[in-house]
């Protein structure tokens, strides 16, 4: 692999979730004041959360940190942190801060940062995945590695939530597996190293990034009901709708489960309302119509109660209940 002595690994991207804050603060403390790289950070936070992360990081170390604005130019020796409810994406000449479609249920999303950094800066990118639940960051790290960038992952045994590191380890060729106190010094050393020449990406990576369409998945998006397409790089599967909502296989299963629960609770509400209306009609009618509406009300109350039991208990249906489904 050829190396360009005039270009270093000057783009550092970091993704974290549960348990990653302390690692970030330690790394900020250990980074040198003359770091010849820009640092970009995505931490999963609630949409309405008022983030104080820039102040916390800036107070721990020598580098300034802030939430960037859309269109801001990239400056080395600066830490840029994704604002709540906005994706942080990179272009060759600027930073994009946009409320794009959620990825794996997150906005900001680690994958959006990693993918855009890899597309814009190729082998100059260092990707870092820290502690967190689920598997956000894996798809983005596949993009970084495909273009010759460097992958750094927190050792799972040192993580409060090892899911994100484990997912990357299972799906990506990891260059550095580190413990929290090693991160700052490692990033400073890697940032000073020359970057290799750009690499050519495969069709699988193009599909993973949404550049080219994947195969039809015959599943609709649980967020917007758009048709999903499927991309696969190695054993890692990803699903994307035409709007841009993106899911790993695990996050798609979780989102569909939540959608199913919402639908079932809506069914309970509709059945109970219909039973109440049928009961009112039964009280006003006579003869066969009174009997029919009373029976309809009883049946709908039973059906609503059965669905409620399934939702609240999550138990296996009895043979008698199964006959009602």
């Amino acid at each position: 692999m050829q190396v360009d002595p005039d270009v270093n690994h000057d783009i550092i991207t970091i993704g974290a979730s549960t348990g990653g804050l302390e690692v970030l603060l330690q790394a900020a403390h250990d980074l040198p004041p003359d770091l010849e790289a820009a640092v970009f950070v995505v931490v999963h936070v609630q949409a309405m959360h008022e983030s104080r992360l820039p102040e916390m990081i800036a107070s721990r170390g020598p580098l300034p940190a802030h939430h960037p604005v859309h269109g801001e130019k990239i400056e080395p020796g600066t830490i840029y942190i994704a604002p709540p409810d906005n994706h942080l994406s990179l272009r060759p000449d600027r930073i994009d801060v946009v409320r794009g479609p959620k990825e794996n249920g997150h906005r900001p999303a680690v994958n959006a940062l990693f993918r855009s950094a890899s597309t814009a800066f190729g082998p100059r990118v260092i990707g870092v995945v820290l502690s967190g639940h689920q598997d956000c960051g894996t798809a983005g790290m596949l993009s970084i590695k495909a273009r010759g960038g460097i992958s750094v992952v927190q050792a799972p045994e040192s993580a409060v939530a090892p899911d994100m590191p484990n997912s990357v380890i299972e799906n990506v060729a990891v260059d550095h597996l580190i413990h929290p106190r090693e991160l700052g010094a490692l990033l400073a050393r890697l940032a000073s190293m020359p970057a290799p020449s750009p690499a050519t990406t495969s069709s699988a990576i193009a599909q993973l990034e949404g550049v080219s369409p994947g195969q039809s998945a015959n599943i609709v998006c649980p967020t917007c009901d758009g048709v999903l397409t499927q991309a696969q790089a190695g054993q890692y599967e990803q699903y994307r709708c035409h709007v841009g909502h993106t899911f790993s296989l695990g996050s798609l299963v979780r989102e569909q489960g939540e959608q199913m629960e919402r639908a079932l609770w809506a069914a309970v509400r509709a059945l109970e309302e219909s039973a109440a209306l049928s009961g009112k009609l039964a009280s006003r009618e006579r003869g066969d119509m009174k009997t029919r509406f009373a029976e309809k009300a009883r049946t709908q109350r039973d059906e609503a109660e059965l669905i409620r039991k399934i939702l609240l208990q999550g138990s296996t249906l009895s043979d008698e209940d199964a006959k009602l489904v």
Side-chain angles (χ1 to χ4, degrees):
M1 183 178 293
Q2 294 183 339
V3 173
D4 186 345
D6 297 325
V7 179
N8 294 343
H9 291 97
D10 56 353
I11 301 294
I12 300 173
T13 58
I14 303 176
S17 190
T18 304
L21 177 57
E22 287 303 320
V23 185
L24 280 172
L25 295 176
Q26 180 65 52
H29 176 272
D30 296 337
L31 288 173
D34 57 350
L35 183 71
E36 297 181 1
V39 182
F40 302 87
V41 177
V42 165
V43 177
H44 295 154
V45 294
Q46 296 296 322
M48 303 307 292
H49 178 69
E50 184 178 353
S51 174
R52 296 184 58 250
L53 191 55
E55 292 88 344
M56 295 172 66
I57 286 181
S59 68
R60 285 295 188 97
L63 300 180
H66 67 276
H67 291 313
V69 297
H70 184 67
E72 185 172 337
K73 291 185 177 180
I74 299 172
E75 297 290 342
T78 303
I79 301 176
Y80 301 95
I81 300 165
D85 204 29
N86 283 271
H87 289 310
L88 178 62
S89 300
L90 306 186
R91 294 180 182 269
D93 59 344
R94 69 174 191 269
I95 302 169
D96 282 352
V97 180
V98 295
R99 291 189 74 254
K102 291 184 177 182
E103 302 195 18
N104 289 329
H106 298 296
R107 187 174 55 220
V110 179
N111 284 334
L113 169 62
F114 284 10
R115 181 178 63 247
S116 64
S118 174
T119 301
F121 296 101
R124 294 159 58 181
V125 179
I126 302 170
V128 182
V129 169
L130 303 179
S131 176
H133 292 297
Q134 303 179 17
D135 52 14
C136 194
T138 299
M141 194 70 89
L142 284 165
S143 292
I144 289 173
K145 285 293 295 180
R147 291 185 173 84
I150 297 175
S151 59
V152 179
V153 178
Q154 181 178 352
E157 64 271 18
S158 71
V160 173
D163 294 354
M164 283 172 54
N166 275 329
S167 179
V168 177
I169 292 169
E170 291 169 2
N171 293 282
V172 184
V174 175
D175 297 305
H176 299 276
L177 196 62
I178 54 94
H179 286 262
R181 289 191 174 275
E182 302 169 346
L183 180 58
L186 174 65
L187 292 179
R189 179 168 62 84
L190 294 177
S192 66
M193 295 171 56
S197 301
T200 302
T201 58
S202 65
S203 59
I205 295 298
Q207 292 179 6
L208 201 67
E209 296 174 342
V211 176
S212 61
Q215 298 179 344
S216 176
N218 295 320
I219 306 172
V220 299
C221 174
T223 302
C224 69
D225 291 334
V227 176
L228 289 173
T229 57
Q230 176 184 354
Q232 185 161 354
Q235 63 181 5
Y236 183 80
E237 295 180 34
Q238 181 176 274
Y239 299 81
R240 183 190 302 273
C241 73
H242 69 283
V243 172
H245 297 118
T246 307
F247 310 90
S248 66
L249 178 59
S251 67
L252 179 59
V253 170
R254 287 187 292 270
E255 288 288 334
Q256 282 193 324
E258 292 180 6
Q259 183 189 45
M260 185 184 303
E261 182 176 346
R262 290 192 295 268
L264 288 172
W265 279 118
V268 170
R269 174 191 56 77
L271 286 165
E272 289 179 341
E273 290 176 353
S274 184
L277 293 174
S278 296
K280 285 186 176 182
L281 284 171
S283 67
R284 298 177 183 181
E285 296 289 344
R286 297 179 180 178
D288 290 343
M289 292 300 294
K290 181 181 183 71
T291 303
R292 288 172 60 185
F293 280 119
E295 178 61 28
K296 181 178 181 181
R298 283 193 297 271
T299 300
Q300 290 175 325
R301 282 194 294 269
D302 289 344
E303 291 171 344
E305 184 58 30
L306 174 59
I307 299 173
R308 185 185 298 274
K309 181 191 298 185
I310 295 171
L311 287 166
L312 295 179
Q313 297 180 357
S315 58
T316 303
L317 293 178
S318 67
D319 292 340
E320 194 63 31
D321 286 340
K323 293 177 183 178
L324 299 175
V325 178

Tab-separated table of all heavy atoms in Angstrom, residues 102-133:
chain	number	residue	atom	x	y	z
A	102	LYS	N	-33.350	9.044	10.853
A	102	LYS	CA	-32.660	8.329	11.926
A	102	LYS	C	-32.014	7.048	11.384
A	102	LYS	O	-32.518	6.428	10.456
A	102	LYS	CB	-33.628	7.981	13.051
A	102	LYS	CG	-34.115	9.197	13.831
A	102	LYS	CD	-35.001	8.779	14.996
A	102	LYS	CE	-35.432	9.995	15.806
A	102	LYS	NZ	-36.267	9.617	16.973
A	103	GLU	N	-30.900	6.677	11.993
A	103	GLU	CA	-30.213	5.441	11.650
A	103	GLU	C	-30.097	4.581	12.902
A	103	GLU	O	-29.587	5.050	13.930
A	103	GLU	CB	-28.831	5.745	11.060
A	103	GLU	CG	-28.895	6.626	9.814
A	103	GLU	CD	-27.606	6.649	9.028
A	103	GLU	OE1	-26.773	5.731	9.233
A	103	GLU	OE2	-27.429	7.561	8.206
A	104	ASN	N	-30.591	3.354	12.807
A	104	ASN	CA	-30.669	2.475	13.975
A	104	ASN	C	-31.424	3.141	15.119
A	104	ASN	O	-31.147	2.896	16.292
A	104	ASN	CB	-29.275	2.051	14.448
A	104	ASN	CG	-28.606	1.075	13.501
A	104	ASN	OD1	-29.269	0.279	12.848
A	104	ASN	ND2	-27.288	1.147	13.400
A	105	GLY	N	-32.365	3.999	14.761
A	105	GLY	CA	-33.165	4.686	15.766
A	105	GLY	C	-32.485	5.889	16.383
A	105	GLY	O	-33.040	6.491	17.310
A	106	HIS	N	-31.303	6.277	15.881
A	106	HIS	CA	-30.536	7.357	16.508
A	106	HIS	C	-30.412	8.571	15.587
A	106	HIS	O	-30.276	8.453	14.370
A	106	HIS	CB	-29.131	6.874	16.865
A	106	HIS	CG	-29.104	5.747	17.846
A	106	HIS	ND1	-29.554	5.864	19.137
A	106	HIS	CD2	-28.672	4.469	17.718
A	106	HIS	CE1	-29.410	4.722	19.766
A	106	HIS	NE2	-28.876	3.855	18.928
A	107	ARG	N	-30.426	9.724	16.191
A	107	ARG	CA	-30.058	10.991	15.544
A	107	ARG	C	-29.563	11.922	16.635
A	107	ARG	O	-30.371	12.379	17.437
A	107	ARG	CB	-31.265	11.601	14.814
A	107	ARG	CG	-30.883	12.831	13.984
A	107	ARG	CD	-32.035	13.361	13.148
A	107	ARG	NE	-33.200	13.640	13.982
A	107	ARG	CZ	-34.457	13.364	13.616
A	107	ARG	NH1	-34.712	12.800	12.449
A	107	ARG	NH2	-35.473	13.644	14.412
A	108	PRO	N	-28.264	12.157	16.764
A	108	PRO	CA	-27.197	11.815	15.815
A	108	PRO	C	-26.856	10.322	15.841
A	108	PRO	O	-27.090	9.643	16.843
A	108	PRO	CB	-26.005	12.643	16.322
A	108	PRO	CG	-26.239	12.763	17.795
A	108	PRO	CD	-27.734	12.887	17.941
A	109	ALA	N	-26.307	9.858	14.734
A	109	ALA	CA	-25.925	8.458	14.597
A	109	ALA	C	-24.437	8.354	14.285
A	109	ALA	O	-23.896	9.146	13.500
A	109	ALA	CB	-26.732	7.782	13.496
A	110	VAL	N	-23.799	7.379	14.897
A	110	VAL	CA	-22.373	7.162	14.673
A	110	VAL	C	-22.107	6.802	13.210
A	110	VAL	O	-21.153	7.292	12.597
A	110	VAL	CB	-21.844	6.053	15.607
A	110	VAL	CG1	-20.348	5.812	15.362
A	110	VAL	CG2	-22.095	6.410	17.064
A	111	ASN	N	-22.961	5.960	12.641
A	111	ASN	CA	-22.741	5.519	11.253
A	111	ASN	C	-22.742	6.690	10.283
A	111	ASN	O	-21.982	6.706	9.314
A	111	ASN	CB	-23.815	4.507	10.847
A	111	ASN	CG	-23.566	3.138	11.441
A	111	ASN	OD1	-22.443	2.768	11.744
A	111	ASN	ND2	-24.630	2.363	11.621
A	112	ALA	N	-23.615	7.663	10.495
A	112	ALA	CA	-23.687	8.815	9.591
A	112	ALA	C	-22.373	9.587	9.593
A	112	ALA	O	-21.882	10.021	8.537
A	112	ALA	CB	-24.841	9.721	9.994
A	113	LEU	N	-21.784	9.775	10.770
A	113	LEU	CA	-20.488	10.464	10.854
A	113	LEU	C	-19.393	9.642	10.190
A	113	LEU	O	-18.650	10.157	9.350
A	113	LEU	CB	-20.134	10.714	12.322
A	113	LEU	CG	-18.700	11.197	12.582
A	113	LEU	CD1	-18.444	12.542	11.908
A	113	LEU	CD2	-18.425	11.283	14.083
A	114	PHE	N	-19.277	8.374	10.554
A	114	PHE	CA	-18.206	7.536	10.013
A	114	PHE	C	-18.293	7.439	8.487
A	114	PHE	O	-17.291	7.563	7.786
A	114	PHE	CB	-18.291	6.131	10.613
A	114	PHE	CG	-17.787	6.016	12.029
A	114	PHE	CD1	-17.483	7.136	12.776
A	114	PHE	CD2	-17.620	4.777	12.622
A	114	PHE	CE1	-17.023	7.031	14.080
A	114	PHE	CE2	-17.147	4.650	13.911
A	114	PHE	CZ	-16.858	5.775	14.648
A	115	ARG	N	-19.496	7.180	7.989
A	115	ARG	CA	-19.684	6.993	6.547
A	115	ARG	C	-19.300	8.253	5.776
A	115	ARG	O	-18.598	8.197	4.756
A	115	ARG	CB	-21.138	6.617	6.276
A	115	ARG	CG	-21.466	6.377	4.811
A	115	ARG	CD	-22.910	5.960	4.639
A	115	ARG	NE	-23.861	6.981	5.066
A	115	ARG	CZ	-24.677	6.868	6.118
A	115	ARG	NH1	-24.641	5.798	6.886
A	115	ARG	NH2	-25.521	7.842	6.403
A	116	SER	N	-19.760	9.406	6.247
A	116	SER	CA	-19.476	10.658	5.537
A	116	SER	C	-18.003	11.020	5.624
A	116	SER	O	-17.419	11.531	4.659
A	116	SER	CB	-20.339	11.790	6.104
A	116	SER	OG	-20.008	12.061	7.456
A	117	ALA	N	-17.371	10.749	6.770
A	117	ALA	CA	-15.941	11.028	6.900
A	117	ALA	C	-15.131	10.165	5.940
A	117	ALA	O	-14.199	10.652	5.283
A	117	ALA	CB	-15.499	10.773	8.344
A	118	SER	N	-15.496	8.897	5.843
A	118	SER	CA	-14.786	7.997	4.939
A	118	SER	C	-14.946	8.436	3.490
A	118	SER	O	-13.978	8.433	2.713
A	118	SER	CB	-15.316	6.572	5.124
A	118	SER	OG	-14.760	5.695	4.174
A	119	THR	N	-16.159	8.813	3.109
A	119	THR	CA	-16.414	9.255	1.735
A	119	THR	C	-15.631	10.524	1.408
A	119	THR	O	-15.096	10.671	0.302
A	119	THR	CB	-17.923	9.511	1.537
A	119	THR	OG1	-18.641	8.308	1.817
A	119	THR	CG2	-18.220	9.943	0.110
A	120	ALA	N	-15.550	11.447	2.376
A	120	ALA	CA	-14.907	12.733	2.123
A	120	ALA	C	-13.386	12.673	2.225
A	120	ALA	O	-12.682	13.364	1.485
A	120	ALA	CB	-15.445	13.778	3.101
A	121	PHE	N	-12.855	11.849	3.141
A	121	PHE	CA	-11.420	11.908	3.432
A	121	PHE	C	-10.691	10.574	3.278
A	121	PHE	O	-9.480	10.514	3.503
A	121	PHE	CB	-11.214	12.444	4.855
A	121	PHE	CG	-11.691	13.856	5.018
A	121	PHE	CD1	-12.919	14.119	5.614
A	121	PHE	CD2	-10.937	14.919	4.568
A	121	PHE	CE1	-13.375	15.417	5.761
A	121	PHE	CE2	-11.385	16.225	4.707
A	121	PHE	CZ	-12.601	16.483	5.309
A	122	GLY	N	-11.404	9.521	2.919
A	122	GLY	CA	-10.757	8.257	2.598
A	122	GLY	C	-9.836	7.730	3.681
A	122	GLY	O	-10.211	7.637	4.854
A	123	PRO	N	-8.586	7.393	3.322
A	123	PRO	CA	-7.666	6.741	4.267
A	123	PRO	C	-7.162	7.658	5.373
A	123	PRO	O	-6.454	7.201	6.276
A	123	PRO	CB	-6.518	6.280	3.367
A	123	PRO	CG	-6.540	7.225	2.215
A	123	PRO	CD	-7.993	7.536	1.973
A	124	ARG	N	-7.503	8.937	5.338
A	124	ARG	CA	-7.051	9.867	6.375
A	124	ARG	C	-7.849	9.706	7.669
A	124	ARG	O	-7.482	10.269	8.700
A	124	ARG	CB	-7.183	11.302	5.877
A	124	ARG	CG	-6.265	11.625	4.718
A	124	ARG	CD	-6.731	12.834	3.924
A	124	ARG	NE	-6.845	14.036	4.735
A	124	ARG	CZ	-7.263	15.205	4.249
A	124	ARG	NH1	-7.616	15.306	2.970
A	124	ARG	NH2	-7.344	16.256	5.043
A	125	VAL	N	-8.922	8.894	7.628
A	125	VAL	CA	-9.854	8.825	8.754
A	125	VAL	C	-9.440	7.764	9.769
A	125	VAL	O	-9.050	6.650	9.415
A	125	VAL	CB	-11.281	8.525	8.253
A	125	VAL	CG1	-12.254	8.419	9.429
A	125	VAL	CG2	-11.738	9.603	7.274
A	126	ILE	N	-9.547	8.123	11.040
A	126	ILE	CA	-9.451	7.181	12.158
A	126	ILE	C	-10.844	7.052	12.750
A	126	ILE	O	-11.459	8.047	13.132
A	126	ILE	CB	-8.472	7.671	13.242
A	126	ILE	CG1	-7.076	7.896	12.648
A	126	ILE	CG2	-8.416	6.695	14.405
A	126	ILE	CD1	-6.125	8.602	13.602
A	127	GLY	N	-11.360	5.829	12.829
A	127	GLY	CA	-12.654	5.591	13.442
A	127	GLY	C	-12.480	4.953	14.812
A	127	GLY	O	-11.688	4.021	14.969
A	128	VAL	N	-13.213	5.464	15.798
A	128	VAL	CA	-13.107	4.950	17.172
A	128	VAL	C	-14.509	4.615	17.667
A	128	VAL	O	-15.403	5.470	17.642
A	128	VAL	CB	-12.471	5.991	18.115
A	128	VAL	CG1	-12.333	5.403	19.517
A	128	VAL	CG2	-11.134	6.469	17.582
A	129	VAL	N	-14.706	3.398	18.124
A	129	VAL	CA	-15.984	2.980	18.716
A	129	VAL	C	-15.757	2.668	20.188
A	129	VAL	O	-14.921	1.840	20.531
A	129	VAL	CB	-16.574	1.756	17.982
A	129	VAL	CG1	-17.744	1.172	18.777
A	129	VAL	CG2	-17.054	2.161	16.599
A	130	LEU	N	-16.532	3.352	21.034
A	130	LEU	CA	-16.434	3.177	22.477
A	130	LEU	C	-17.669	2.462	23.008
A	130	LEU	O	-18.521	2.010	22.249
A	130	LEU	CB	-16.269	4.545	23.154
A	130	LEU	CG	-15.078	5.389	22.688
A	130	LEU	CD1	-15.052	6.722	23.410
A	130	LEU	CD2	-13.766	4.641	22.882
A	131	SER	N	-17.768	2.398	24.294
A	131	SER	CA	-18.846	1.690	24.984
A	131	SER	C	-20.230	2.136	24.509
A	131	SER	O	-20.461	3.316	24.256
A	131	SER	CB	-18.714	1.944	26.495
A	131	SER	OG	-19.772	1.371	27.215
A	132	GLY	N	-21.149	1.186	24.395
A	132	GLY	CA	-22.519	1.514	24.006
A	132	GLY	C	-23.332	0.271	23.735
A	132	GLY	O	-22.785	-0.795	23.442
A	133	HIS	N	-24.635	0.400	23.867
A	133	HIS	CA	-25.541	-0.705	23.580
A	133	HIS	C	-25.805	-0.808	22.077
A	133	HIS	O	-25.623	0.140	21.320
A	133	HIS	CB	-26.869	-0.511	24.321
A	133	HIS	CG	-26.756	-0.635	25.811
A	133	HIS	ND1	-26.376	-1.802	26.433
A	133	HIS	CD2	-26.963	0.274	26.800
A	133	HIS	CE1	-26.361	-1.622	27.737
A	133	HIS	NE2	-26.704	-0.367	27.993
